Amino acid sequence: MTAQLEYPEVQDSDALLSIQGLWKVFGPKAQRVPHRPDLAALDRAALYTRTGCTAAVRDLSFDVAPGEVFVVMGLSGSGKSTLVRCLTRLIEPTAGSLIFEGEDLRAADEKRLRTLRRSKFSMVFQHFGLLPHRKVIDNVSYGLEIRGESKPDRRRRAQEVIDLVGLAGNEHFYPEQLSGGMQQRVGLARALANDPDVLLFDEPFSALDPLIRREMQNEVVRLHREVGKTMVFVTHDLSEALRLGDRILLMRDGGAVQLGTGDELVGAPADEYVRDFVRDVPRADVLTLRWIVRDARPGEPLDGPEVGPDVLVREATRLVLEADRPVKVVSNGTLLGVIDDEEILAVVADH
Amino acid sequence: MAAITSDVEVEVRRPRRGVVVGILLVAWVAVYFVLRGIDTLTLGSQETTTLHRWLTDHRDDLGQGNVVFDAIRMTVDQFVVLLQNLLAQPAYGRPVPVIGWLGVVAVAAYLAWAFGNWKVALLTAAGLGFVGLQGLWRESMDTLALTIAAVLLSLLVAIPLGIWAGLSNRAFRVATLVLDLMQTLPTFVYLAPLTLFFAIGPAAATIATLVYAAPPAVRLTAHAIRSVPAESVEAARSLGSTRSQTLTKVLLPMSRSTVVVGINQTIMAALSMVTVAALINAPGLGDTVLKALETLDVGVAFNGGLAIVVLAIVLDRVTTAAGDRPWRTASRRRRILLAAGAAGVLVAVWFSRTYVWAAEFPTSVNIGSRIAVTTSNLTNWVQDVFGGFTYGVRDAVTKGVLNPLEALLTGSPWWLVATVVVALAAVLGRWRGALPAAVCSLLLVATGVWHDSMVTLASTLLATVVVVAVGLVLGVWAGRNRRVDTWIRPVLDAGQTMPPFVYLVPFLALFGTSRFTAIAAAIVFAVPVTTKIVADGIKAVPVATVEAANSVGSSNWQVISKVQLPVARRAITLAVNQGLIYVLSMVVVGGLVGAQALGYDVYAGFTQSELYGKGLAAGLAIVLLGVLLDRVTQAAARRTQRFPRRGDKL
């Protein structure tokens, strides 16, 4: 199961959050499933008929680097929402280890866990999870209130994050008086208010209209740039994953199918499932020249224009097609190879 | 082909249940003519059995001297007396209660305004003023004091229990089981055993009311807590809330409006039970009505009943308004007004303690006697003009239907009736029906009031048939027609908030004292709940299903009979079940106006000390009848359920 996880490894010492062999099994006597190899090897249907258990998360291992946007993607029922809840033990994992800043989260007691949730982690929910009986500003300052900050302090801090997420002027409305997009901004502000190190997003925008969704995605990109938080982002929307994710973990039936950057998923799908998944992605928007560069053929002219390897295919299309000779791909003065009309068209025209 | 025909043959060979039931009934009637008069277990109204005498002799053993029950009784009594002193009875060496009428009206209206709105505040003031003008101020305050005591105690028990059941799955399962059982028990039956433990008086009345009134608050609190969106709770946890923070800052505030609905139901239940508790000497309006019914004074009974209805309307509207109040915190202007109002209330209370005119409700204008006289005159007029007609209807139904049915039930040997009942239960609900039917039948014999039970059963069955017929027609009509629904629903709501006593009054005027009167009152009491359940069931049939039926050209009747009724079958069996239980719970009240049998036995048990044990046995017999009918209808419903229910595991 961990075979796919050989993609760009973050060094252990650098990892902010390190997950090893994580399991979450629902059902009677769930404990035994991860610990018995014969049961652990069963697929979903067989496991259910044998034991009456369902493995929502099975044997996941990955690291999240500081400042990274780590996307967990999969169809509904793939276990991604369970996974993100296991990270702060909102759902208790069945087996495996969770290391955060060198601390074993699974060994933390109730009190320590509360402290961590109050200061290190925050979560944004699909259906917002707001408190309808509180005004926007009181929703945002809820996290500060329960950790016992004084009223002036939490008002000031709440106002800061309200301004940050573009909610200024709505402080004294009640959630039901706001649109869906605005409500999720409240959810975002509430998560930011206690200045966490890690932000967890559970399909935060899938309940929103497509236009609002795009706007909120841009908002997340902007916030990531401005406040530089580490983010774990769960989604079932591939284009969202590709837009936001530094790395993407693709899940299926609780297990990992592939872990890698967006262009790795599109350019080198690990199996048929991933290939199917990324089939409709406009590849030119995702793949960089690195993925299509080829060695120069003997006798080919090498005096064409130069481009870097991390330029998107879409961006290089015009240049390559207009040049009358192959374009050179150069990284730090080294020639990686060349690209001709043929390679470009293979990506742009392919579907 | 072969397989298909054999299937059909199997279907044909097994006779339909209706046919079996029909054969059973015909056979019963045939045997009845041969065996009538044998083993009927008749017991005269003043006669008792050994069991009854034993119960009478031991009535004091359990209640008095038992430290726990005495302590509870003392505490509750003192609490009730405190409230009575505050509102109703002369107290602390003064000829008037602590707070006079002006103070009470001011405080009540202020609370209605603060928790609801100014409209219900006006309604409150007007309602209290009206009962005062009726000349029933003290009685109303007694009823109010008892109701408040019972409601406060109920909530003290019910809200924590509800929260517990809301948080814990195990507690929820146990609570549902117990509450379901409590709901099938006819309410008046609580009274008799409770007097055994707490003696006759306010304590027993309050505790009986508590038992009756607490379940809705438990249920709705648990339901409210459980329906708080999981994400809001998770969000609170993810931010590091402790359990108590989650409860006080998230779960409870978000449950508020549903809990208030529960409190509303508790208050209404308490009010109706407090009036019925007049049977065990509880003071108040119930006592007024009861005394008037005993002397067949329709005018005074109507005046008292009207006051009960006015109180019910006020309490209902105020709590409903309180539940509808939005989350928002009060505006500055409202807060200033509330503070000013509080000052005004204090002034009114001070007045009511200082001046006689503000303490004792003025008697110069008494519309109560005028209402009573007018009602009496109207009743006489109705009896003169329509008496021939209404009495004719009464006698026709009594002679044509009720008497033969009663003769069949009471004239057959007990073992014949029991056999038929068990056989019917077995046909309708297999062993799930047959087993409780057998147990209940034998226990009925053991109570010594078999004969009276059969008389009551005859009335109950007749009333239930009418209730179901009327409820089905009205329910289907309201379920299919939005306009009818909006018209009929307030009437049904009003019918359900009215305490059961009140129903008797107009029927007493129309039909005099007779079994038929009690049946008619029971029908009116039970029709609203049956109609509502049927209407809700019909409305819950998916629109697409009805449209599909219409699109293939079904007539209205076909849509009703082939689509809506079958799909709503679950609701309809529930409606029948509830109709039965409601009819049965009017039995004791019906005993007041000539229903005889069990209702009279229970009533006589309350009033004549030597019949106490028999009353208790009769109360038990009502419970047994209730359990019997409930189990059999439930088992029949379960068998009727061919397709899996929603939520069932497939």
Side-chain angles (χ1 to χ4, degrees):
Chain A
M1 269 296 164
T2 48
Q4 295 90 351
L5 303 176
E6 292 159 6
Y7 292 91
E9 280 287 345
V10 181
Q11 288 301 306
D12 271 335
S13 51
D14 294 345
L16 182 70
L17 186 61
S18 173
I19 283 91
Q20 286 297 323
L22 193 74
W23 281 83
K24 176 63 203 182
V25 183
F26 293 105
K29 291 189 233 156
Q31 255 323 313
R32 69 200 151 139
V33 177
H35 296 116
R36 279 177 46 186
D38 58 320
L39 292 180
L42 294 174
D43 69 12
R44 167 168 291 202
L47 182 66
Y48 187 77
T49 35
R50 264 286 287 283
T51 63
C53 290
T54 311
V57 173
R58 51 165 70 220
D59 197 19
L60 285 183
S61 305
F62 57 88
D63 292 336
V64 180
E68 180 180 20
V69 179
F70 186 91
V71 171
V72 180
M73 193 179 60
L75 301 178
S76 56
S78 61
K80 53 194 192 307
S81 290
T82 310
L83 169 64
V84 77
R85 281 168 174 72
C86 283
L87 296 184
T88 58
R89 286 176 52 198
L90 278 178
I91 293 178
E92 195 63 50
T94 314
S97 74
L98 293 167
I99 310 292
F100 173 72
E101 288 181 336
E103 178 184 356
D104 182 4
L105 288 187
R106 292 212 57 204
D109 62 4
E110 192 67 18
K111 191 158 169 252
R112 174 69 189 146
L113 208 54
R114 260 204 311 274
T115 314
L116 286 171
R117 286 178 188 160
R118 284 176 181 186
S119 53
K120 300 286 188 181
F121 295 99
S122 278
M123 191 155 166
V124 181
F125 294 85
Q126 182 176 7
H127 300 291
F128 325 137
L130 301 178
L131 306 178
H133 56 287
R134 287 168 164 249
K135 290 175 185 169
V136 165
I137 190 150
D138 296 322
N139 260 292
V140 172
S141 53
Y142 178 83
L144 306 168
E145 181 184 329
I146 56 166
R147 68 185 196 198
E149 290 191 20
S150 73
K151 192 157 184 173
D153 281 353
R154 56 186 201 238
R155 283 274 151 148
R156 193 173 57 243
R157 174 64 189 156
Q159 194 59 54
E160 275 172 34
V161 282
I162 283 174
D163 294 343
L164 182 67
V165 300
L167 269 174
N170 295 299
E171 295 86 348
H172 296 286
F173 285 118
Y174 285 84
E176 63 185 15
Q177 295 170 300
L178 301 177
S179 68
M182 293 302 260
Q183 289 191 32
Q184 194 55 297
R185 283 175 198 264
V186 180
L188 201 54
R190 178 176 64 184
L192 287 169
N194 52 2
D195 197 22
D197 294 351
V198 182
L199 275 168
L200 307 171
F201 293 85
D202 179 27
E203 301 203 34
F205 309 138
S206 51
L208 303 178
D209 296 336
L211 282 178
I212 310 286
R213 192 182 310 162
R214 177 156 289 252
E215 189 185 314
M216 293 299 290
Q217 287 163 0
N218 291 335
E219 198 70 26
V220 168
V221 171
R222 181 178 69 85
L223 281 172
H224 186 242
R225 221 173 26 236
E226 285 179 18
V227 297
K229 306 275 184 208
T230 309
M231 298 181 176
V232 177
F233 196 105
V234 171
T235 180
H236 66 256
D237 178 355
L238 183 62
S239 65
E240 188 169 83
L242 292 170
R243 272 172 70 94
L244 300 175
D246 291 327
R247 284 188 303 151
I248 299 168
L249 171 69
L250 184 60
M251 286 180 72
R252 180 194 188 184
D253 284 352
V257 183
Q258 187 170 5
L259 170 62
T261 57
D263 53 343
E264 279 169 342
L265 254 68
V266 175
D271 61 11
E272 273 308 304
Y273 182 74
V274 185
R275 199 184 308 279
D276 259 6
F277 216 98
V278 299
R279 174 153 300 165
D280 294 328
V281 174
R283 291 151 57 85
D285 291 344
V286 179
L287 294 184
T288 56
L289 297 183
R290 193 190 293 278
W291 288 92
I292 55 170
V293 68
R294 64 168 168 80
D295 294 336
R297 294 191 190 101
E300 235 173 347
L302 285 176
D303 52 353
E306 286 182 10
V307 289
D310 292 324
V311 176
L312 286 176
V313 172
R314 166 87 58 222
E315 290 164 0
T317 304
R318 179 173 288 267
L319 176 75
V320 175
L321 293 182
E322 281 178 355
D324 50 1
R325 48 197 62 211
V327 172
K328 291 190 289 181
V329 178
V330 179
S331 170
N332 298 328
T334 335
L335 180 69
L336 297 176
V338 297
I339 291 173
D340 211 344
D341 295 2
E342 200 183 320
E343 283 81 31
I344 289 285
L345 289 176
V347 174
V348 175
D350 165 67
H351 256 269
Chain B
M1 272 312 278
I4 293 170
T5 31
S6 75
D7 271 1
V8 171
E9 275 170 13
V10 169
E11 281 298 319
V12 171
R13 252 186 240 139
R14 187 192 295 159
R16 298 181 55 124
R17 272 196 282 170
V19 177
V20 179
V21 171
I23 293 171
L24 258 173
L25 293 179
V26 171
W28 180 17
V29 174
V31 177
Y32 160 74
F33 280 109
V34 181
L35 295 175
R36 68 179 146 181
I38 307 172
D39 287 344
T40 54
L41 302 181
T42 317
L43 192 70
S45 67
Q46 294 296 319
E47 290 172 350
T48 48
T49 66
T50 328
L51 173 73
H52 301 160
R53 283 188 293 277
W54 184 85
L55 282 171
T56 307
D57 290 344
H58 291 77
R59 70 184 290 183
D60 289 343
D61 291 1
L62 274 164
Q64 285 175 358
N66 183 316
V67 185
V68 179
F69 289 129
D70 275 358
I72 296 177
R73 191 183 68 218
M74 296 287 281
T75 319
V76 174
D77 265 343
Q78 276 173 359
F79 186 47
V80 174
V81 167
L82 180 78
L83 280 166
Q84 279 182 317
N85 288 344
L86 210 59
L87 298 173
Q89 301 290 342
Y92 309 119
R94 286 155 48 95
V96 289
V98 175
I99 304 176
W101 72 269
L102 187 67
V104 173
V105 171
V107 170
Y110 179 74
L111 291 178
W113 178 43
F115 287 105
N117 51 48
W118 61 269
K119 282 184 216 153
V120 292
L122 279 184
L123 179 76
T124 307
L128 289 178
F130 182 76
V131 296
L133 289 176
Q134 281 182 293
L136 294 170
W137 180 261
R138 178 172 292 181
E139 290 82 353
S140 302
M141 287 307 109
D142 270 329
T143 295
L144 201 61
L146 267 178
T147 309
I148 292 173
V151 166
L152 289 180
L153 290 176
S154 295
L155 296 183
L156 203 65
V157 177
I159 301 278
L161 275 181
I163 292 173
W164 189 29
L167 296 175
S168 146
N169 284 329
R170 193 170 300 165
F172 182 67
R173 273 196 296 272
V174 174
T176 311
L177 202 74
V178 174
L179 296 180
D180 278 349
L181 197 72
M182 278 164 78
Q183 249 186 356
T184 59
L185 292 185
T187 52
F188 309 94
V189 167
Y190 299 139
L191 288 176
L194 280 172
T195 57
L196 196 66
F197 297 123
F198 299 108
I200 282 179
T206 310
I207 290 167
T209 309
L210 185 154
V211 174
Y212 180 55
V218 178
R219 247 181 228 280
L220 281 158
T221 305
H223 171 71
I225 298 251
R226 298 180 87 79
S227 37
V228 169
E231 271 201 349
S232 294
V233 181
E234 259 184 341
R237 283 180 64 210
S238 80
L239 290 162
S241 310
T242 60
R243 279 169 147 266
S244 63
Q245 281 171 333
T246 310
L247 184 66
T248 54
K249 288 174 192 282
V250 180
L251 289 172
L252 290 182
M254 287 178 78
S255 313
R256 201 197 66 141
S257 58
T258 311
V259 172
V260 175
V261 174
I263 294 175
N264 169 289
Q265 293 194 5
T266 294
I267 291 176
M268 302 324 289
L271 182 63
S272 70
M273 195 66 184
V274 160
T275 56
V276 170
L279 285 171
I280 51 171
N281 280 352
L285 292 169
D287 194 45
T288 311
V289 177
L290 183 66
K291 293 240 164 66
L293 287 177
E294 279 168 350
T295 54
L296 300 183
D297 188 341
V298 175
V300 173
F302 179 80
N303 193 38
L306 190 62
I308 297 175
V309 172
V310 169
L311 282 188
I313 291 174
V314 168
L315 288 172
D316 183 46
R317 298 293 155 228
V318 171
T319 43
T320 308
D324 290 345
R325 239 195 125 64
W327 304 108
R328 329 241 180 286
T329 43
S331 65
R332 175 179 293 269
R333 184 168 147 266
R334 187 174 151 84
R335 263 179 286 174
I336 293 172
L337 283 174
L338 279 174
V345 168
L346 284 180
V347 172
V349 171
W350 180 78
F351 267 119
S352 78
R353 288 182 56 74
T354 315
Y355 298 103
V356 175
W357 62 265
E360 278 183 340
F361 205 93
T363 46
S364 50
V365 200
N366 187 343
I367 58 168
S369 54
R370 230 175 304 163
I371 291 175
V373 170
T374 314
T375 316
S376 296
N377 291 341
L378 189 68
T379 311
N380 291 336
W381 180 79
V382 167
Q383 276 173 344
D384 287 346
V385 178
F386 299 104
F389 174 70
T390 54
Y391 280 52
V393 170
R394 182 190 84 187
D395 294 341
V397 174
T398 308
K399 288 212 181 74
V401 186
L402 186 56
N403 283 350
L405 184 62
E406 202 177 291
L408 181 64
L409 279 163
T410 56
S412 303
W414 69 266
W415 40 266
L416 178 62
V417 179
T419 313
V420 172
V421 167
V422 173
L424 279 178
V427 173
L428 292 174
R430 301 241 172 99
W431 63 268
R432 275 181 197 283
L435 190 67
V439 172
C440 288
S441 301
L442 290 178
L443 285 175
L444 271 178
V445 174
T447 57
V449 285
W450 170 267
H451 183 263
D452 284 355
S453 303
M454 288 304 110
V455 176
T456 298
L457 183 61
S459 304
T460 306
L461 289 178
L462 179 60
T464 308
V465 169
V466 179
V467 164
V468 170
V470 176
L472 270 182
V473 172
L474 286 180
V476 170
W477 194 25
R480 286 171 55 86
N481 188 330
R482 185 169 286 276
R483 192 175 304 160
V484 173
D485 193 58
T486 47
W487 279 104
I488 221 171
R489 199 155 283 254
V491 179
L492 299 181
D493 283 342
Q496 276 195 314
T497 42
M498 251 194 284
F501 263 17
V502 178
Y503 288 106
L504 289 178
V505 181
F507 290 97
L508 195 59
L510 282 174
F511 301 113
T513 55
S514 71
R515 284 168 296 167
F516 184 82
T517 310
I519 291 177
I523 290 170
V524 175
F525 180 59
V527 159
V529 65
T530 314
T531 309
K532 265 187 177 178
I533 298 175
V534 173
D536 288 343
I538 296 285
K539 260 194 286 188
V541 175
V543 179
T545 313
V546 177
E547 276 174 353
N550 281 328
S551 73
V552 294
S554 314
S555 67
N556 273 342
W557 172 244
Q558 283 170 327
V559 172
I560 294 174
S561 64
K562 290 186 189 298
V563 179
Q564 289 178 316
L565 287 181
V567 175
R569 182 157 45 186
R570 195 166 146 69
I572 288 166
T573 49
L574 179 68
V576 172
N577 179 282
Q578 289 292 297
L580 258 175
I581 299 301
Y582 270 63
V583 166
L584 202 57
S585 36
M586 275 294 273
V587 162
V588 176
V589 177
L592 298 175
V593 289
Q596 304 162 355
L598 293 183
Y600 176 79
D601 291 339
V602 173
Y603 177 59
F606 289 135
T607 48
Q608 304 172 37
S609 56
E610 69 276 12
L611 290 179
Y612 176 82
K614 189 179 181 185
L616 203 56
L620 191 64
I622 298 176
V623 179
L624 289 170
L625 278 181
V627 173
L628 174 86
L629 295 170
D630 177 60
R631 288 298 115 187
V632 173
T633 45
Q634 297 249 18
R638 207 179 300 234
R639 266 207 64 191
T640 321
Q641 206 68 49
R642 294 251 169 75
F643 38 80
R645 273 177 283 152
R646 233 182 312 165
D648 276 356
K649 281 266 162 65
L650 287 173

